[in-house]
Amino acid sequence: MRNIKLVISYDGSKYKGFQRLKDNDNTIQGKIENVLSKMTDEKIEIMASGRTDMGVHAINQVANFKTNCSFSVEKIKKYLYEYLPEDIFVKEVIEVNERFHSRYNAVKKVYLYKINNKEYNPFMRKYELFIAKKLDIYEMKKASEILIGTHDFTSFASSKSKKKSYIRTITSIKIDESSGNINIFIKADGFLYNMVRIIVGCLIDVGLGKIDYNYLVEILESRDRKKASDTAPSKGLYLYNVYYE
Amino acid sequence: MRNIKLVISYDGSKYKGFQRLKDNDNTIQGKIENVLSKMTDEKIEIMASGRTDMGVHAINQVANFKTNCSFSVEKIKKYLYEYLPEDIFVKEVIEVNERFHSRYNAVKKVYLYKINNKEYNPFMRKYELFIAKKLDIYEMKKASEILIGTHDFTSFASSKSKKKSYIRTITSIKIDESSGNINIFIKADGFLYNMVRIIVGCLIDVGLGKIDYNYLVEILESRDRKKASDTAPSKGLYLYNVYYE
């Protein structure tokens, strides 16, 4: 069987999230599978690097699927462009080794969180978090360093999350600021449920002076979700990149 | 009576245009008037620098209204921010001389048209025109110079347009290109119905090699809308700035 890799960009605003739900295809996965199944006349299942929640976007989500169809990758790309809704775009279609698995082979992922710290922008209302009060970027950067490395991130996972291990390794947190647009890039070997949004929530509170460096250490060490700040809204979050060996 | 000037930014995608329609408030004007009328308990009518069509956006639309209310401009701005839909943002509220009229006193306007000539971007699907085929920017710039100056723009006005005079003065056309994003800025003393979108339609056809410099001269001289290219879609168009003496 052929194994086809997809690189996908989507505006998550209108969807219930990436993962297909029973009897409901208002999901990114559902939309893509429907188009591919129609094209190939097979029951296509795509496997993504990970799910994204309701309202979360992607710049470079990676997925793959198995097929017996004989369409060229160019033809598949064209067909997807024609039949997918305008808010889902498959940027790349590549034939890969049959052992490639977009989830198991992913070694690192980068999420981006966009904050507008200048003036409200109606065109970006679904694509960034607007915060009127000036954030202290220096303090945010300093605080973000606490989280880098291998830690138990229980405090930064949704209480709904059920995992065997809450230990993850954050390789880097980059906070870029340019004329009031703040981009926070977080790179890790894996993320817990809501982890980026809870970390961003804490960094925002640091930037607003509500909590400080030492309190962030306390949050991390407490392994208690209730200690950490509120989950930042989904609209500012983008799955930015997925890395493979 | 007090005279209040507004600078407004809006995402026009969901609206029937700027101008209030009878028994229908799904217009930018309607939304703003409703909020202001509720706030002041007066029947507020706003006067804008000009209407924008269905689907057209604005970065800096200017409007003004008369009121007897005693609210400070800060309070008006806050109220509008709170009660307007998220896709309409009043950036500035300024008390002006009672003779100021946002339409009659406007001496120049700038429209911006955004073209994406690189890769389809799902986040910008309502905010730019995507053209896959590479445009020849050099030819577009050269051709645009034909239109600068005082001309009869009948060929570049919708056939639905009924005006006493079709003579307008275009002061400048600036075509910026940066990594596949093309911004066309057109500055004039006034614009006819659909004028920017028809000009952009022609410039695109020049960029695609469908028509050339000489044919654009012919279009202009013919004073015949049928000669010119198709009207470019509304989604790429922004009222960018309005100038006053």
Side-chain angles (χ1 to χ4, degrees), chain B residues 145-171:
Chain B
E145 285 166 22
I146 296 164
L147 305 170
I148 294 168
T150 304
H151 302 285
D152 182 320
F153 285 99
T154 305
S155 304
F156 300 92
S158 164
S159 52
K160 283 181 233 158
S161 158
K162 297 267 176 293
K163 288 276 183 188
K164 270 181 236 158
S165 164
Y166 288 81
I167 293 170
R168 296 291 183 275
T169 302
I170 294 185
T171 319

Side-chain angles (χ1 to χ4, degrees), chain A:
Chain A
M1 267 189 128
R2 296 169 74 199
N3 190 9
I4 310 287
K5 178 184 167 189
L6 308 174
V7 181
I8 314 157
S9 174
Y10 50 81
D11 171 352
S13 331
K14 282 198 305 195
Y15 296 97
K16 295 207 169 178
F18 186 85
Q19 197 178 32
R20 183 165 207 140
L21 304 165
K22 257 186 193 160
D23 304 328
N24 184 324
D25 81 338
N26 196 25
T27 61
I28 323 290
Q29 185 179 7
K31 293 290 179 197
I32 298 172
E33 287 180 353
N34 287 354
V35 173
L36 289 172
S37 298
K38 205 183 147 197
M39 181 190 193
T40 58
D41 217 10
E42 299 170 15
K43 195 176 158 17
I44 299 292
E45 276 183 61
I46 65 171
M47 177 60 61
S49 70
R51 59 187 80 167
T52 53
D53 286 342
M54 183 160 74
V56 174
H57 317 294
I59 312 273
N60 293 299
Q61 166 71 288
V62 176
N64 69 296
F65 67 96
K66 304 286 176 91
T67 179
N68 285 314
C69 80
S70 57
F71 298 113
S72 69
V73 289
E74 293 77 18
K75 179 114 187 205
I76 297 172
K77 186 171 190 250
K78 227 172 183 173
Y79 193 93
L80 285 163
Y81 182 61
E82 191 159 358
Y83 291 102
L84 277 175
E86 287 191 325
D87 46 11
I88 304 175
F89 175 55
V90 176
K91 300 161 101 167
E92 289 177 42
V93 180
I94 309 150
E95 187 141 9
V96 289
N97 186 292
E98 64 173 332
R99 279 167 308 177
F100 173 81
H101 190 291
S102 51
R103 190 161 132 232
Y104 301 145
N105 297 156
V107 290
K108 279 199 176 60
K109 269 191 217 170
V110 178
Y111 275 93
L112 160 63
Y113 199 94
K114 282 173 110 67
I115 298 171
N116 168 0
N117 200 205
K118 203 167 73 176
E119 183 179 66
Y120 178 75
N121 180 346
F123 299 100
M124 291 295 283
R125 67 193 183 281
K126 294 172 185 169
Y127 309 124
E128 67 185 12
L129 174 64
F130 171 63
I131 298 177
K133 210 186 152 197
K134 188 98 185 84
L135 296 172
D136 186 330
I137 308 287
Y138 175 78
E139 288 298 324
M140 290 169 75
K141 283 186 179 172
K142 208 176 78 179
S144 72
E145 285 166 21
I146 296 164
L147 304 170
I148 294 167
T150 304
H151 302 285
D152 182 320
F153 285 100
T154 304
S155 303
F156 301 92
S158 163
S159 51
K160 283 182 234 158
S161 158
K162 297 267 176 291
K163 287 276 181 188
K164 270 182 237 156
S165 164
Y166 289 81
I167 292 171
R168 295 291 183 275
T169 301
I170 294 184
T171 319
S172 67
I173 301 182
K174 207 165 63 124
I175 305 179
D176 288 346
E177 195 270 340
S178 164
S179 35
N181 295 308
I182 301 167
N183 287 332
I184 303 176
F185 295 91
I186 306 185
K187 189 177 193 172
D189 62 348
F191 292 91
L192 300 162
Y193 187 38
N194 279 355
M195 181 167 149
V196 180
R197 290 165 58 191
I198 298 170
I199 289 175
V200 168
C202 290
L203 292 178
I204 289 170
D205 279 352
V206 169
L208 292 171
K210 287 189 191 172
I211 60 173
D212 66 5
Y213 184 94
N214 296 320
Y215 192 74
L216 194 62
V217 175
E218 218 178 296
I219 294 171
L220 181 64
E221 287 174 354
S222 72
R223 298 177 196 180
D224 178 5
R225 168 67 187 95
K226 289 193 286 294
K227 277 262 183 192
S229 303
D230 289 344
T231 308
S234 58
K235 62 181 180 179
L237 186 62
Y238 298 73
L239 173 54
Y240 189 73
N241 246 326
V242 187
Y243 293 95
Y244 295 93
E245 254 163 8

Side-chain angles (χ1 to χ4, degrees), chain B residues 70-97:
Chain B
S70 56
F71 298 112
S72 69
V73 288
E74 292 78 18
K75 179 115 187 203
I76 297 172
K77 186 169 190 252
K78 226 171 181 172
Y79 193 93
L80 286 163
Y81 182 62
E82 191 160 358
Y83 292 102
L84 277 175
E86 288 191 324
D87 45 10
I88 304 175
F89 174 55
V90 177
K91 302 161 100 167
E92 289 178 42
V93 179
I94 309 151
E95 187 141 10
V96 288
N97 187 292

Side-chain angles (χ1 to χ4, degrees), chain B residues 46-239:
Chain B
I46 65 170
M47 178 59 61
S49 70
R51 60 187 80 168
T52 53
D53 286 341
M54 185 160 73
V56 174
H57 317 294
I59 311 271
N60 293 298
Q61 166 72 290
V62 175
N64 69 295
F65 68 95
K66 304 287 176 89
T67 179
N68 285 314
C69 82
S70 56
F71 298 112
S72 69
V73 288
E74 292 78 18
K75 179 115 187 203
I76 297 172
K77 186 169 190 252
K78 226 171 181 172
Y79 193 93
L80 286 163
Y81 182 62
E82 191 160 358
Y83 292 102
L84 277 175
E86 288 191 324
D87 45 10
I88 304 175
F89 174 55
V90 177
K91 302 161 100 167
E92 289 178 42
V93 179
I94 309 151
E95 187 141 10
V96 288
N97 187 292
E98 64 171 331
R99 279 166 308 174
F100 173 80
H101 191 290
S102 50
R103 188 159 134 234
Y104 301 145
N105 298 156
V107 289
K108 279 198 178 61
K109 270 192 216 170
V110 180
Y111 275 93
L112 160 63
Y113 199 94
K114 281 173 111 66
I115 298 171
N116 168 1
N117 199 206
K118 203 167 72 177
E119 181 179 68
Y120 178 74
N121 180 348
F123 299 100
M124 291 295 284
R125 68 194 183 281
K126 294 174 186 167
Y127 308 124
E128 67 186 11
L129 175 64
F130 171 63
I131 299 177
K133 213 187 149 195
K134 188 98 186 84
L135 296 172
D136 187 330
I137 308 287
Y138 175 79
E139 287 298 325
M140 288 168 75
K141 282 185 181 173
K142 209 176 75 180
S144 73
E145 285 166 22
I146 296 164
L147 305 170
I148 294 168
T150 304
H151 302 285
D152 182 320
F153 285 99
T154 305
S155 304
F156 300 92
S158 164
S159 52
K160 283 181 233 158
S161 158
K162 297 267 176 293
K163 288 276 183 188
K164 270 181 236 158
S165 164
Y166 288 81
I167 293 170
R168 296 291 183 275
T169 302
I170 294 185
T171 319
S172 68
I173 301 183
K174 207 165 63 124
I175 306 179
D176 287 346
E177 195 269 340
S178 164
S179 36
N181 295 309
I182 301 168
N183 288 331
I184 304 176
F185 295 92
I186 305 184
K187 189 176 192 172
D189 62 347
F191 292 90
L192 300 162
Y193 188 37
N194 280 354
M195 182 168 149
V196 180
R197 291 165 57 191
I198 298 170
I199 289 176
V200 169
C202 291
L203 293 178
I204 289 169
D205 279 352
V206 169
L208 292 171
K210 287 189 189 171
I211 61 173
D212 66 4
Y213 183 94
N214 297 319
Y215 191 73
L216 194 63
V217 175
E218 220 178 295
I219 294 172
L220 180 64
E221 288 174 354
S222 72
R223 297 177 196 181
D224 178 4
R225 168 67 188 95
K226 289 192 285 294
K227 277 265 183 189
S229 304
D230 289 344
T231 307
S234 58
K235 62 182 181 178
L237 186 61
Y238 300 73
L239 173 52

